[in-house]
Amino acid sequence: MLTVEQFIDACRAKGLNVTYQRLLIYKTLARTKSHPTAESIYHEVKTEYPSISLATVYKTLETLAEHNLIQKVTPLHDLARYDGDTNPHHHLVCLECRKIVDVYDEHLNQLKMPEDKNFRIHGYRIQFEGICDECASKERVKSSTESVQQIQ
Ligand SMILES: [Zn+2]
Ligand SMILES: [Zn+2]
């Protein structure tokens, strides 16, 4: 994660103006590990900057992602999620609640690239899919009450 000073320097290096809105949106994203949607960032930013619009938040996130200052994560091809951490890492995705958890594992960063002379690979991201602990324990509660009902 970049510090605010590093973010400002990185923006300048990429020719992006550092506006108050951009900085606020970046700071909001950078302080969470939840890989939020544009909408949830918007709700948070709005408390500090009530006149901001969802379109502005969305546009800003897209601009920052285009310049590799943040990452866009798209679990299971639905709603885009954003990540303030652009260091190489991978994700665990819960298929139930869509929670995204970071995975840092050097081995996963050193996979052998497939060879294709018609394709230049820039990188990759691994998405492990499964069920988080929280959802798994809810399932257990559900299935145990179901079996209680069957007994009665
Ligand atoms: Zn879950
Ligand atoms: Zn992440």
Side-chain angles (χ1 to χ4, degrees):
M1 209 82 69
L2 304 175
T3 64
V4 170
E5 290 73 28
Q6 287 169 331
F7 175 75
I8 292 171
D9 288 345
C11 281
R12 293 207 174 119
K14 289 166 193 276
L16 278 180
N17 289 330
V18 185
T19 61
Y20 174 68
Q21 290 183 359
R22 274 185 187 154
L23 199 56
L24 187 58
I25 290 166
Y26 179 76
K27 280 200 290 193
T28 305
L29 176 61
R31 68 169 170 250
T32 176
K33 291 228 128 238
S34 71
H35 304 79
T37 61
E39 203 151 325
S40 85
I41 294 170
Y42 164 69
H43 285 298
E44 182 125 9
V45 167
K46 219 171 149 46
T47 60
E48 231 175 287
Y49 195 110
S51 65
I52 203 158
S53 71
L54 176 59
T56 300
V57 171
Y58 188 76
K59 224 168 44 204
T60 303
L61 290 166
E62 288 296 303
T63 304
L64 296 179
E66 271 164 35
H67 289 82
N68 294 318
L69 292 161
I70 63 170
Q71 260 195 74
K72 191 169 170 178
V73 187
T74 306
L76 317 173
H77 305 286
D78 56 6
L79 209 54
R81 306 270 293 264
Y82 297 89
D83 193 340
D85 189 354
T86 55
N87 291 317
H89 70 282
H90 306 278
H91 293 124
L92 305 173
V93 179
C94 176
L95 297 170
E96 254 334 279
C97 66
R98 303 284 156 105
K99 179 192 321 194
I100 302 178
V101 179
D102 291 322
V103 179
Y104 294 91
D105 182 336
E106 262 315 302
H107 294 289
L108 297 176
N109 297 335
Q110 290 158 12
L111 294 189
K112 189 178 164 295
M113 294 298 126
E115 278 168 41
D116 185 329
K117 58 177 173 10
N118 300 315
F119 204 101
R120 221 178 292 163
I121 296 171
H122 290 164
Y124 60 92
R125 253 174 278 162
I126 302 173
Q127 179 175 301
F128 298 95
E129 294 164 6
I131 302 288
C132 75
D133 247 5
E134 243 170 84
C135 291
S137 62
K138 270 185 229 152
E139 298 263 299
R140 273 196 294 276
V141 171
K142 215 165 55 184
S143 63
S144 68
T145 51
E146 269 162 22
S147 57
V148 168
Q149 282 162 350
Q150 276 162 12
I151 294 165
Q152 284 167 345

